[in-house]
C-alpha cells in the first residue's frame, strides 16, 4: 500500500503497473496559475519544464539562475496539492547533496537531470551514472529521479543504441525513470524492449496521440515548453484583438 502522506511515494506509484496505452500524462506548468489550471483539470501530478519556466521569468532556455529556478518551482509546488517534479536541467553545477537539499526545500518530489551540456556535447555516461548514484544516495526515496538521455537531440551516430546503453547505466545507478528526449515513435518499441523500468517521452505537436505513445511503450508523457508556448500563442491572439 502506498503511503498517501508521502507525495514522493504517491508520485512513484503513478509510474508503475500501468496498462499499455495508459501512459501517465504530466502537464508542464510554468507558474502557479498554470499549475492550478492543470490540477483543476484532474491531472494527478505535474512536471515543470525548464524552458517554459525560463520563458515565464524572462530568460532564454538554459540561462535561468539556479536561485530563480528553485524559487519558481517552490511557488508552483505551493500552489497545488498534487505531486510536482522539477526539470532542473543539468543540476546547475551543484554538488549532489546540496542539489537534493535545495530540491527538497522547494517541496518537489522528483527531478529531471540532463546528460549533455549547454554546448550540445554529451556527457561521459559513466560520469553521469556516478553523479546520478550520488544524487540517489543523498535523496534516498525522497525524490523520483528521471534521467534524461540526450543522444537523439545531440546527433549521435546511432542514437537508439547510444540511448539504450546510457539508460541501462542510469537505471543501474538508481534512476527511477529514463527520458530519451527527442526519440521518434519508431524508436520506442526497441527502447521499451531493451530498457528496464519506466520510460518518459516528449509528445511534440502533430505526433502520435497520447494513447498511441502509451501503446508504443511510453510510461509517462511530458510536453517540455510546448504548453507554455501554446498559451503564449493564444495570448498573442488576444493581444492582437485588443489592438
Amino acid at each position: 500500500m502506498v503511503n498517501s502522506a508521502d507525495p514522493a511515494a504517491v508520485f512513484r506509484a503513478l509510474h508503475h503497473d500501468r496498462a499499455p496505452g495508459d501512459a501517465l500524462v504530466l502537464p508542464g506548468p510554468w507558474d502557479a496559475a498554470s499549475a492550478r489550471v492543470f490540477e483543476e483539470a484532474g491531472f494527478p501530478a505535474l512536471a515543470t519544464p525548464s524552458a517554459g519556466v525560463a520563458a515565464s521569468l524572462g530568460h532564454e532556455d538554459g540561462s535561468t539562475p539556479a536561485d530563480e529556478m528553485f524559487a519558481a518551482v517552490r511557488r508552483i509546488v505551493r500552489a497545488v496539492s498534487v505531486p510536482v517534479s522539477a526539470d532542473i536541467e543539468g543540476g546547475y553545477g551543484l554538488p549532489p547533496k546540496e542539489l537534493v537539499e535545495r530540491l527538497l526545500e522547494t517541496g518537489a518530489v522528483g527531478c529531471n537531470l540532463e546528460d549533455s551540456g549547454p554546448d550540445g556535447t554529451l556527457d561521459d555516461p559513466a560520469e553521469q551514472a556516478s553523479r546520478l548514484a550520488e544524487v540517489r544516495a543523498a535523496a534516498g526515496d525522497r525524490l523520483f529521479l528521471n534521467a534524461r538521455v540526450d543522444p537523439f537531440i545531440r546527433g549521435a551516430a546511432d542514437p537508439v543504441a547510444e540511448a539504450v546503453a546510457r539508460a541501462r547505466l542510469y537505471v543501474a545507478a538508481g534512476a527511477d525513470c529514463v527520458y530519451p528526449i527527442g526519440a521518434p515513435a519508431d524508436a520506442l518499441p526497441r527502447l521499451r524492449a531493451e530498457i528496464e523500468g519506466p520510460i518518459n517521452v516528449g509528445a511534440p505537436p502533430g505526433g502520435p496521440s497520447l494513447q498511441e505513445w502509451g501503446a508504443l511503450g511510453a510510461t509517462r508523457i511530458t510536453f517540455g515548453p510546448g504548453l507554455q508556448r501554446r498559451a503564449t500563442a493564444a495570448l498573442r491572439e488576444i493581444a492582437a484583438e485588443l489592438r
Side-chain angles (χ1 to χ4, degrees):
M1 178 179 290
V2 176
N3 180 2
S4 59
D6 181 350
V10 171
F11 187 68
R12 187 170 282 108
L14 289 170
H15 293 75
H16 294 285
D17 300 322
R18 305 195 70 87
D22 182 34
L24 175 63
V25 178
L26 296 177
W30 52 94
D31 60 13
S34 59
R36 286 176 174 155
V37 169
F38 293 135
E39 180 183 33
E40 290 166 2
F43 291 97
L46 307 173
T48 70
S50 63
V53 173
S56 76
L57 297 174
H59 296 294
E60 295 296 323
D61 184 22
S63 66
T64 307
D67 288 349
E68 291 192 43
M69 183 62 75
F70 287 121
V73 171
R74 185 180 299 110
R75 289 191 293 271
I76 289 168
V77 171
R78 187 176 58 210
V80 296
S81 59
V82 297
V84 177
S85 182
D87 181 350
I88 53 169
E89 305 178 70
Y92 308 109
L94 296 172
K97 186 174 184 296
E98 182 180 351
L99 181 65
V100 167
E101 289 173 352
R102 297 198 66 177
L103 267 171
L104 292 174
E105 287 172 357
T106 70
V109 301
C111 67
N112 288 6
L113 280 172
E114 304 171 2
D115 72 344
S116 65
D119 63 353
T121 302
L122 284 164
D123 296 336
D124 178 87
E127 291 180 3
Q128 178 69 355
S130 178
R131 177 167 169 77
L132 291 168
E134 290 183 61
V135 172
R136 168 55 67 218
D141 291 333
R142 296 177 295 172
L143 289 174
F144 184 95
L145 185 53
N146 188 35
R148 211 178 81 174
V149 186
D150 291 2
F152 289 98
I153 64 169
R154 299 307 188 195
D158 186 345
V160 177
E162 181 73 14
V164 167
R166 287 172 174 266
R168 286 174 169 173
L169 281 175
Y170 302 163
V171 170
D176 293 286
C177 183
V178 294
Y179 179 14
I181 186 171
D186 59 8
L188 198 52
R190 180 179 168 191
L191 295 173
R192 176 68 284 166
E194 298 187 29
I195 297 171
E196 181 180 355
I199 295 177
N200 185 158
V201 302
S209 69
L210 302 183
Q211 293 74 21
E212 288 169 336
W213 277 118
L216 288 168
T219 308
R220 83 182 211 179
I221 300 170
T222 53
F223 304 90
L227 302 180
Q228 183 269 334
R229 289 171 180 170
R230 287 173 62 182
T232 299
L235 188 58
R236 286 196 182 99
E237 293 182 4
I238 296 171
E241 291 174 3
L242 295 177
R243 290 288 293 173

